[in-house]
Amino acid sequence: MANLPWWGYIVVTLILTHLTIISVTVFLHRCQSHRAVWLHPIISHAFRFWLWLTTGIVTQEWVAIHRKHHAMVETEQDPHSPQIAGIGNVLFGGLGLYRKEARNTETIECYGTGTPNDWIERHMYVRRRHLGIILMLLIN
C-alpha cells in the first residue's frame, strides 16, 4: 500500500481518471468510431486493457452506440439525445441509456463493424467485462 499524503491520493485519482478520459477520447472516439487517427496495435491494446480495467466498456458496443448517435442525431432513434431523453437523463443516466442500447443486437451488428474481434476481446473483454473492474479494485 502506498504511503501518500491525503492530497497524493487525490492526485493519483485525477491522473487515473484522466487516463480513462484519454482512452475514451483517443481510442474509442477518434480511432475506433471515426477512424480519424490510426494507432499502433500495441497502443490500441493498451487502451483496450485500460478501459477493461477501469470501465468494463466493450469497444464494439461503445462504437456502435456512438455511430448510431451520429447517424440518428436528435431523433427518436438516437440512443442518447439530450433533446429526446432530456439533458439530465443523458448526464446522470447515461450508463442506463448505454446499457439499454447495448442490448439492441441490431444496433451492434449495424454500427459496430470494424472493431477488434480477436480472442482476447471475445473471451476476456466481452465475456468477462466485470473482471477488469474487480481486478482494478483489488489492485487499488
Side-chain angles (χ1 to χ4, degrees), residues 58-125:
V58 173
T59 302
Q60 185 183 34
E61 291 175 357
W62 196 97
V63 168
I65 293 164
H66 185 71
R67 287 176 179 165
K68 183 175 181 178
H69 163 69
H70 280 288
M72 305 292 181
V73 69
E74 307 305 351
T75 68
E76 291 289 334
Q77 293 80 31
D78 186 339
H80 52 81
S81 165
Q83 291 201 356
I84 305 299
I87 189 73
N89 288 331
V90 172
L91 290 175
F92 300 109
L95 180 60
L97 296 172
Y98 171 88
R99 283 276 154 237
K100 179 182 174 189
E101 193 63 32
R103 288 189 296 269
N104 184 344
T105 55
E106 190 176 301
T107 296
I108 306 307
E109 290 170 4
C110 180
Y111 295 100
T113 59
T115 57
N117 190 26
D118 53 11
W119 185 91
I120 198 161
E121 186 74 22
R122 292 187 310 273
H123 292 89
M124 285 296 294
Y125 299 156

Side-chain angles (χ1 to χ4, degrees), residues 26-64:
V26 173
F27 176 68
L28 289 175
H29 190 236
R30 299 289 178 224
C31 177
Q32 290 294 303
S33 294
H34 297 298
R35 301 287 185 208
V37 297
W38 178 86
L39 300 173
H40 189 278
I42 293 172
I43 302 299
S44 287
H45 188 261
F47 281 129
R48 288 166 59 198
F49 180 71
W50 183 256
L51 288 166
W52 178 69
L53 281 175
T54 59
T55 67
I57 288 174
V58 173
T59 302
Q60 185 183 34
E61 291 175 357
W62 196 97
V63 168

